[in-house]
Amino acid sequence: MIDYGMKKKFLLSSRFSALFSVFLFSLSFFSFTQARAAPASDIAGLPDLATLVEKTGPAVVNIRTIEKRQNRASQASEAERQLQDYLFRFFGVPQPGSPGGRPQPAPEVRRGMGSGFLTSSDGYILTNSHVVENADEVYVRLTDNREFTARLIGSDARTDVALLKIDGKNLPYLKLGKSANIRAGEWVVAIGSPFALDNTVTAGIISAKARETGDYLPLIQTDVAVNPGNSGGPLINMQGEVIGINSQIYSRSGGYMGISFAIPIDEAIRVSEQLKTSGRVTRGRIGVQIGEIPAEVAKALNLPEKQGVQVSRVDSGSAAEKGGLLAGDIILAFNGKAIKKIGELPRLIGESQPRTQIRLTVWRKGTTHQLNVTVEAVDEVASARKSEQVLPDKKQAGSSENILGMAVADLPERQKSQLQIKGGVYVAALNQFAAASGLRRGDVIVRVNDTDIKNASQFQAVVAALDRKKTVVLLVQRNDLIFFVPLKPLS
């Protein structure tokens, strides 16, 4: 038998389900069509790069350079030229590069390509120093195909920043942001001329804010595609502000491999202002050479925390020497700012104007000192220092080996005078254990932990009293450099 009541309920339920399915389909179709009509930025929160590029692109320029060099014939040595003249004059032998006779020297033209960007409506342009290096002629082309001959106002190879000027009015220019405010993960855009492809746009994110690459400046690391020809172009944030100048790539192939670097715009502005004023950059110096402090050395010397740099050498007559700085000191802070990385101190001193006074916080023999040092100007031509290892006479050796695995002896007065030190002992011999620490025969030990060494007998007494369970730190002088060597006593 058929239960008509149940059948009726079933039909109503089926009709409701069908209507509900139609409703869901209509809603899905409406959502899909709305999604297709909406911009990508509304769907996934992606940046609107097209509008950004439309606003900033006209201020990005293409830079062409021409370097005129003498041809190979004119670069020949004087002896070669005399021989060629002799063969041509007496035997009619054509000279190289000229089948019919004497060559006519002609300039060899070398062309370069790069990018840059306008920073003012009257034609100032920022780019890389290496883009215009050795250029005899520099040409700038805008996106509207106008071309200008540019003047080089000044360049600074140390920061790789150059300032150009073209004659124009009401030119498009970019707003300069603040690289100090950037964050890793922010979207950025690069515009330039990779491989001579003008006005190429690439995008990515900031990978790191201050990457130490061994250069004078900490660079901005990004994953934005940058290739040869992008150099000098702007790195732009989502507000349309320049936060860096694209400068370098990390590559094993010569092309982009996912890592690129830009000069922070804050530093570029500081350099360009000096270039605009005087055509050159003036930096400060105090006359020291510095090195890193290994963690085990910091621990053995009871440093409050892992920070600072070690003074390896103090130049004679320098501002550092006049200010009381000694080789072996550890500089903890500059004008109250803690030094966390070795690259920070040279930058801070370099940014200081000559004849200004700076305050260095120094760790010396377990005590903190405050030293005032007057900054000097960096010499344009650095004098080379000869560094020859001083090996004392073997006849002076005679001290027996100790728990540090070395034999030491008194340093002759002649070597003390040459090294400009008052005490210390030299390493006359060392076993395999001591040699593994990096010590060499002829090294001079001037301090054991916080105790200055005067002679060999005192050295032996200090070493005999050492705790064999603790690492000892030797302050060692080699030629004109001083450095720390950590060493664990033999048990």
Side-chain angles (χ1 to χ4, degrees), residues 422-434:
K422 296 180 179 180
V425 294
Y426 76 89
V427 177
L430 64 168
N431 62 18
Q432 187 175 5
F433 166 77

Side-chain angles (χ1 to χ4, degrees), residues 13-266:
S13 177
S14 299
R15 187 176 299 170
F16 175 78
S17 299
L19 290 172
F20 185 68
S21 298
V22 171
F23 171 76
L24 289 178
F25 175 77
S26 301
L27 182 63
S28 299
F29 180 76
F30 175 77
S31 300
F32 174 73
T33 55
Q34 287 295 104
R36 290 193 64 182
S41 57
D42 292 338
I43 298 172
L46 297 175
D48 182 7
L49 301 183
T51 302
L52 177 68
V53 172
E54 288 175 357
K55 292 180 178 179
T56 59
V60 181
V61 302
N62 172 268
I63 297 176
R64 293 187 302 110
T65 63
I66 294 178
E67 178 187 354
K68 297 179 180 178
R69 301 184 297 176
Q70 292 181 327
N71 64 11
R72 293 180 181 177
S74 63
Q75 290 178 341
S77 67
E78 183 62 27
E80 290 173 335
R81 283 196 295 270
Q82 290 178 0
L83 176 61
Q84 291 167 6
D85 286 342
Y86 175 81
L87 293 174
F88 176 76
R89 183 179 300 112
F90 295 102
F91 299 98
V93 177
Q95 298 192 24
S98 180
R102 293 180 182 273
Q104 297 298 322
E108 178 186 348
V109 177
R110 181 179 180 182
R111 303 180 187 277
M113 182 77 72
S115 305
F117 56 96
L118 286 151
T119 61
S120 66
S121 62
D122 58 347
Y124 281 99
I125 296 171
L126 277 177
T127 186
N128 285 147
S129 175
H130 74 261
V131 169
V132 296
E133 184 179 15
N134 298 324
D136 295 305
E137 299 174 8
V138 180
Y139 299 98
V140 169
R141 186 172 66 251
L142 275 60
T143 56
D144 58 10
N145 289 325
R146 283 185 293 169
E147 187 164 284
F148 300 82
T149 300
R151 302 193 312 276
L152 177 62
I153 302 300
S155 66
D156 180 52
R158 195 168 182 178
T159 55
D160 199 18
V161 173
L163 182 66
L164 304 177
K165 179 69 169 64
I166 60 176
D167 294 327
K169 296 181 180 179
N170 301 319
L171 298 171
Y173 65 94
L174 293 178
K175 181 180 179 182
L176 305 181
K178 289 188 175 294
S179 51
N181 298 335
I182 65 174
R183 297 183 300 166
E186 286 187 20
W187 282 93
V188 284
V189 167
I191 307 178
S193 304
F195 303 112
L197 301 172
D198 294 3
N199 309 116
T200 297
V201 181
T202 53
I205 62 169
I206 295 173
S207 303
K209 292 177 58 177
R211 183 67 70 199
E212 297 287 349
T213 62
D215 294 329
Y216 186 70
L217 296 175
L219 301 178
I220 302 170
Q221 180 185 333
T222 76
D223 68 350
V224 179
V226 169
N227 283 291
N230 271 115
S231 293
L235 187 69
I236 304 170
N237 63 16
M238 292 301 101
Q239 289 72 49
E241 302 169 333
V242 180
I243 58 168
I245 304 177
N246 297 311
S247 176
Q248 302 177 22
I249 59 173
Y250 173 82
S251 177
R252 295 179 179 177
S253 64
Y256 173 69
M257 292 184 64
I259 297 177
S260 56
F261 300 99
I263 301 165
I265 196 62
D266 294 353

